[in-house]
């Protein structure tokens, strides 16, 4: 097999293996190569990545090869991790988001009645990420703010429109586990952030 093709396959294997990495013996089995050939190939790939000053590097940790970012670029990776638009949603925010998505327009008090806890910080976080917005005022005493989802909500979860939401959970049923409902609804979000 062509060396370039082998390197491309190894890149894919390292990507799929993720944090666990892949051992040389396993690579040898998958690629149908001798162990010494795999070791030589991995040494060559490590050199290639270093020589080309790529953003990733191949390292061997606990006898397994894996991709890691280069330490000299850590400052930029930290910036990305701390930008509000890229930070992942907390469990509380996911639960709040699920309720808003299904019950919109909804007031903070209605949210808190469903969740059984205060939702102010989750609402603030979702607003700062442009996933929800104020969509009006309720026609009740005090005219509380009504919340609904945004276009960014649809983009964030890969939906064309709200009709693509899965069937709504029964938030009012006794024994409903809101955390479980939010987890199932946003499982796709968690899968997307880890890939």
């Amino acid at each position: 097999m062509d060396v370039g093709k082998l390197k491309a396959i190894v890149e894919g294997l390292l990507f799929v293996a993720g944090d666990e990495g892949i051992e040389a013996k396993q690579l040898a089995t998958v690629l149908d190569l001798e162990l010494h050939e795999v070791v030589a190939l991995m040494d060559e790939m490590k050199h290639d990545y270093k020589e080309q000053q790529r953003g990733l590097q191949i390292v061997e940790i606990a006898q397994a090869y894996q991709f890691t970012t280069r330490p000299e670029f850590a400052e930029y990776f930290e910036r990305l991790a701390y930008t509000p638009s890229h930070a992942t949603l907390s469990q509380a925010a996911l639960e709040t988001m699920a309720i808003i998505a299904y019950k919109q327009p909804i007031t903070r008090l209605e949210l808190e009645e469903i969740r059984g806890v205060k939702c102010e910080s989750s609402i603030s976080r979702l607003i700062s990420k442009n996933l929800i917005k104020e969509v009006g005022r309720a026609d009740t005493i005090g005219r509380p703010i009504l919340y609904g989802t945004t276009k960014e909500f649809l983009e964030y979860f890969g939906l064309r429109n709200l009709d693509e939401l899965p069937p709504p959970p029964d938030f009012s049923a006794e024994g409903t586990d809101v955390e479980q409902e939010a987890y199932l609804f946003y499982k796709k979000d968690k899968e997307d952030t880890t890939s």
Side-chain angles (χ1 to χ4, degrees):
M1 186 182 304
D2 175 66
V3 173
K5 187 175 180 179
L6 268 176
K7 288 180 179 180
I9 292 168
V10 169
E11 277 182 330
L13 292 170
L14 289 172
F15 179 80
V16 170
D19 291 343
E20 293 181 21
I22 188 166
E23 293 183 9
K25 286 195 302 191
Q26 191 176 10
L27 277 171
T29 302
V30 171
L31 298 172
D32 197 25
L33 295 173
E34 296 294 324
L35 187 58
H36 68 89
E37 293 174 308
V38 168
V39 172
L41 178 66
M42 296 309 294
D43 287 343
E44 187 176 330
M45 288 183 70
K46 282 193 234 178
H47 176 75
D48 291 348
Y49 273 76
K50 187 175 182 178
E51 186 74 23
Q52 296 168 8
Q53 297 183 356
R54 308 272 294 269
L56 298 174
Q57 62 183 352
I58 299 172
V59 296
E60 189 174 1
I61 299 173
Q63 300 178 351
Y65 294 102
Q66 61 181 258
F67 277 132
T68 65
T69 55
R70 288 180 41 197
E72 58 266 36
F73 301 139
E75 168 191 353
Y76 300 98
F77 307 137
E78 287 173 9
R79 284 185 199 172
L80 177 64
Y82 291 110
T83 57
S85 63
H86 287 89
T88 59
L89 295 174
S90 67
Q91 186 67 35
L94 285 173
E95 291 171 17
T96 303
M97 184 81 260
I99 294 167
I100 292 170
Y102 286 110
K103 297 284 195 177
Q104 62 185 308
I106 188 170
T107 66
R108 181 179 56 83
L109 182 59
E110 291 170 325
L111 276 166
E112 290 173 351
E113 285 175 1
I114 293 170
R115 286 200 65 228
V117 295
K118 297 283 185 190
C119 296
E120 291 172 9
S121 63
S122 293
I123 289 171
S124 294
R125 173 142 183 157
L126 294 168
I127 288 173
S128 73
K129 291 177 70 67
N130 294 320
L131 296 173
I132 65 169
K133 65 181 180 181
E134 295 180 13
V135 294
R137 297 266 180 176
D139 289 328
T140 59
I141 297 173
R143 306 223 351 112
I145 297 169
L146 292 167
Y147 296 99
T149 57
T150 63
K151 180 182 173 216
E152 287 83 358
F153 164 82
L154 296 174
E155 292 170 358
Y156 190 90
F157 294 104
L159 302 170
R160 284 187 296 239
N161 55 52
L162 292 174
D163 295 333
E164 290 189 348
L165 287 170
D170 183 7
F171 290 115
S172 62
E174 278 189 38
T176 296
D177 185 350
V178 176
E179 289 182 16
Q180 182 64 21
E181 297 289 0
Y183 170 77
L184 293 173
F185 177 71
Y186 292 111
K187 190 166 121 179
K188 179 184 182 306
D189 172 53
K190 292 187 181 206
E191 290 169 354
D192 289 347
T193 60
T194 58
S195 63

